[in-house]
Amino acid sequence: MNNIKTKKKRSGSNPSFNKSNRGGSGRRQPRKKAVSTLDPNLLIKKAVKVEEEEYVPTRTFDDMPLDVNLKANIFDKGFRFPTKIQDETLEALLEGTDLIGVANTGTGKTGAFLIPIINQMLSNRKSSKALIVVPTRELALQVEEEFKSLSHRLGLYAACFIGGTNLGRDMMRLRKRNHIIIGTPGRLMDLVGRDALRMDDINTLVLDEFDRMLDMGFVNDIKRMVKLMSRRNHTMLFSATVDDTQKALIDTLLNNPVEVKVSSGKTTNENIDQDIIRVAEGEDKFQMLLDLVSGEDFQKVIVFAETKRMADKIAKKLNQSGVKSDQIHGNKSQNYRQNALNRFKNGQVKILVATDVAARGIDVTDVTHVINYQLPLNFDSYVHRIGRTGRGGKVGKAYTFVDEADNKQ
Ligand code: ADP
Ligand code: MG
């Protein structure tokens, strides 16, 4: 059953887990739990420093065939050399070729599509309009932020439409001129349904984090959206992973695409130290978490919980125990989530408790640890979660609690 090779087990790598922390309430959760298909043994791995990640660019942004004002904005952001995906996709995108970009998170995909789009718009402001579809609200806001800095003083305008915000305001916003529309599929289709957003004047489409969107069940929204884009002539699709199940759909979306792969397309998270923590029946799991995060190297930690209720509970208990924490999940307003994320980014809180959906695409550098409070439902979810740490060439750490009661082997 275990067909993926794992490094040898390192159980009890943290001494505090060898002792049995009895005294928990032992209460079982009343709701029916979705059963994880994950074999915990796959989650034990020693980090390998990934040296070959270092990409040596052949040129600077200055050498690229781009508008001088756009270049100035790029430099103002502190970017000097393109990342690999930015370097290798630029010419194809400037020519209007469809593209599949396969690259892990943190490889600079946002710039890879925004830079050529902005450049093309500068020479054709009137008739170009782009739609950027992303799976989550946080990601949409990040793309908008990146667009704003890249298009500073260029006279291009973006609008961002995400769930959890005021629909009326979105509809007002759509009456103004927008060059770029950024949004999540649900809200975008909602606005289309209200005749507030038109799809027939969009010529450029970006599907970012395509694999996530499919995972989150947006496939029909995407299909409906694409059908309405009668003027679409340039499509870019970015994904961390591309597998055979997506192939047929991708073929219908793209026209003779060039494919640029920066990674193998399989996220391996080689630079992340991964281990499991077995929780015996009756052990106080929360106390174990508390012991774990009291470690000095636990500076910036994301704790994943399966449900909103659980995320809420963990964050509250952590705060009560004197560990500064915040939470992001679907029951929190967009405003709250954004503030929580900012507090976490700037170090005001040490722990961010999140559910899967809320945390997708979050780009916070320096996350030292990812902790799965429960076993994620599947390997894909696991891979995306732990990818929040070990970014930018750093070694990250991931721990997964495994409830022995649920995993009798
Ligand atoms: P991805 O979409 O692939 O996950 P992002 O576009 O979010 O990656 O970029 C990850 C981080 O790298 C961001 O903080 C971004 O500002 C930064 N970044 C992107 N391109 C460059 C570059 N050419 N030079 C330096 N930093 C960059
Ligand atoms: Mg991205």
Side-chain angles (χ1 to χ4, degrees), residues 344-362:
F344 180 61
K345 264 189 191 170
N346 65 31
Q348 280 169 273
V349 299
K350 165 168 146 170
I351 300 188
L352 189 66
V353 187
T355 55
D356 259 336
V357 170
R360 275 169 185 167
I362 291 178

Side-chain angles (χ1 to χ4, degrees), residues 12-26:
S13 66
N14 187 321
S16 61
F17 298 115
N18 292 330
K19 64 171 187 269
S20 160
N21 281 301
R22 292 204 174 263
S25 63

Side-chain angles (χ1 to χ4, degrees), residues 111-162:
F113 61 77
L114 284 180
I115 291 169
I117 287 177
I118 293 172
N119 197 76
Q120 294 314 75
M121 277 186 176
L122 289 175
S123 55
N124 190 5
R125 276 168 209 274
K126 284 231 169 69
S127 61
S128 42
K129 196 161 174 184
L131 174 68
I132 297 163
V133 188
V134 300
T136 67
R137 304 163 182 192
E138 280 75 17
L139 207 49
L141 293 171
Q142 277 173 25
V143 171
E144 186 187 26
E145 209 175 291
E146 188 103 343
F147 174 80
K148 278 188 178 152
S149 57
L150 285 170
S151 64
H152 186 59
R153 288 203 224 119
L154 297 180
L156 296 176
Y157 303 98
C160 186
F161 301 111
I162 53 184

Side-chain angles (χ1 to χ4, degrees), residues 61 74 77-83 85-86 103-113 115 139 142 146 208-209 361 363 365 388 391:
F61 278 109
I74 294 171
K77 283 178 69 64
F79 297 3
R80 184 163 157 69
F81 295 98
T83 65
I85 189 123
Q86 292 164 359
N104 294 334
T105 47
T107 50
K109 291 191 286 295
T110 323
F113 61 77
I115 291 169
L139 207 49
Q142 277 173 25
E146 188 103 343
D208 193 18
E209 307 237 356
D363 174 35
T365 41
R388 303 297 122 216
R391 288 164 86 92

